[in-house]
Each structure stands twice: as structure tokens, then as C-alpha cells.
Amino acid sequence: MIVFITGASAGFGAEMARTFVGHGHQVVISGRRQDRLDALAAELGELALPLVMDVTDKASINEALSLLPQSWRQVDVLINNAGLALGTQPAHEAPLADWETMIATNCTGLVTMTRALLPAMVARGSGLIINLGSVAGAYPYPGGNVYGATKAFVDQFTLNLRADLVGTGVRATNLAPGLCGGTEFSNVRFKGDDAAAAKVYEGTVPLTAKDIAQTAYWIATLPPHINVNSIEMMPTCQGFGPFAIKRV
């Protein structure tokens, strides 16, 4: 099969590319950082095709897709992995620019990619879209504000895709991880503050990018009559907190 992964230059995306290529599948590895993509393509060989693209830029998406060789255009699996969290400030202190960046990447970029590749899947009567959500889309926490809201959007958009795609043979899944270490996620969230990022995982055994990649591969290789609507994953060290109560 041909797999198209956004945000493949690091983290979940790079590990998913390794997993799918390791099982003999063609993988389009897309992202903004040419050097990272080229290094990953050199590692993975001819089954990986690097494609520089910014999901927040519609023109960039259209240009990148137009450059795909004919033998790479029948995408069987789209993994909308590109996404990010920025900051943990409360809503009244969070920079509006951070909110706009998260919405542009996690929501607008995801739906633009989906709309670009979905019609061909429906026309063929087969295909799969895996959207990377988060437990933050279901469970609020202080400082989660717009990040959590974007992931709630991913969950609801995926469910509505399912409603539209009944009988088409095209599947859609929301893959929603909890605490996951070993990626750039927290470093990006804390804008390069490595100490703050490391503290998030201190004393824990979090999920890994490999865990997410193996789950995505399992979803993609199920029989075509099975649709996994959503998968929520958390490490055993993570659970649910009590309600916040402000006492006077």
C-alpha cells in the first residue's frame, strides 16, 4: 500500500514511516524540514519519498501533491500526524498567535489534507484516514484550552467523516494518545525550554512513538470491513484527576 504521512520529519511521523517501510510499504514522508526528510529517506531507502510541505499553507499542499510521481499518487492511507501544542498558560494569558498556530495546524491543515486526498479514495472504494488526536480532546486540564479544543475537533471531524463515508469502503480513525515521551512535543510546547520539557516525563514510563506507530500499523492492516472509530491510549502511570474546587 501507499501511505502518506504528514509531520514525518520527527516523532510519531518518523517512527510510523519506519514501521510501514519496514513491512514493505511505500511511504510519502512529508514535512517542513528538508534536511530531516532527506536524512529519513536516506535511512529508509527507495520505499520512502520525501515531500517538503507545510500543512498550514494551502498553496504548499497543492504544489507538493502536484509533484508526486504517478506511481505514488494512489494513496491508500493518509495519516494526518502534523500537529502541535504551544504553551500551558491559562486562556486569559495565552498568546493569541499560539492559538492561531494550533488551529491552523491541528484543524485547518488536517481538513485541507483530508479534502485533497479523500475524493480519490471514495472513487476507488477503498482507503483509510488516521487522524492523530489526543486524550486532551476528551478530558480538559488547566492550560489545555485551545490545544484540547483542536483535538476535540479532530475527534468530532473523524466521527462525522464516518457518517459521510458509510458504504464507500473508506475508513476513518481517531488515534488519541496520552502522555508520550521521546518526541519533540513538549520541547515545542515549552518553546525550547528543555528543562521544562524533561520535567513533564520525570519519574514516568510514558508511551513512545513506537507504541503509536505500531498502533497505526495495526489499524491500517485490519481487514477492510473493519473500522476502528477511535483508540484512546495512555501509559499505566497516567490517570484521571479530581475536579478542581476553588475554596475561599
Side-chain angles (χ1 to χ4, degrees), residues 21-207:
V21 166
H23 286 89
H25 302 290
Q26 294 174 245
V27 181
V28 180
I29 49 174
S30 72
R32 293 174 300 170
R33 295 174 287 188
Q34 174 105 49
D35 56 335
R36 295 277 193 99
L37 294 177
D38 288 345
L40 184 59
E43 172 193 335
L44 298 180
E46 61 182 16
L47 287 177
L49 178 70
L51 194 66
V52 177
M53 186 184 76
D54 181 351
V55 298
T56 68
D57 184 340
K58 194 184 299 183
S60 171
I61 291 173
N62 291 336
E63 181 181 1
L65 293 178
S66 74
L67 296 174
L68 276 178
Q70 200 63 41
S71 59
W72 287 79
R73 292 195 173 191
Q74 189 173 307
V75 175
D76 300 292
V77 180
L78 166 63
I79 303 180
N80 281 313
N81 169 69
L84 76 167
L86 290 172
T88 56
Q89 301 100 315
H92 55 285
E93 297 176 4
L96 180 60
D98 285 356
W99 286 5
E100 291 169 335
T101 299
M102 286 186 280
I103 292 167
T105 308
N106 302 355
C107 299
T108 307
L110 181 145
V111 301
T112 305
M113 280 302 305
T114 300
R115 186 60 182 80
L117 297 181
L118 183 60
M121 292 181 178
V122 173
R124 291 194 307 269
S126 68
L128 168 65
I129 296 169
I130 298 176
N131 294 323
L132 263 292
S134 168
V135 296
Y139 312 108
Y141 60 88
N145 45 68
V146 167
Y147 174 67
T150 63
K151 294 305 184 177
F153 174 91
V154 171
D155 183 39
Q156 191 63 24
F157 177 63
T158 307
L159 291 174
N160 278 281
L161 277 178
R162 285 283 299 120
D164 288 341
L165 295 172
V166 170
T168 64
V170 181
R171 301 176 289 165
T173 298
N174 175 36
L175 174 50
L179 185 70
C180 191
T183 73
E184 297 177 332
F185 179 83
S186 287
N187 303 78
V188 171
R189 183 167 214 168
F190 290 104
K191 300 181 179 179
D193 186 339
D194 293 338
K199 196 165 182 62
V200 173
Y201 309 102
E202 199 173 84
T204 72
V205 181
L207 300 176

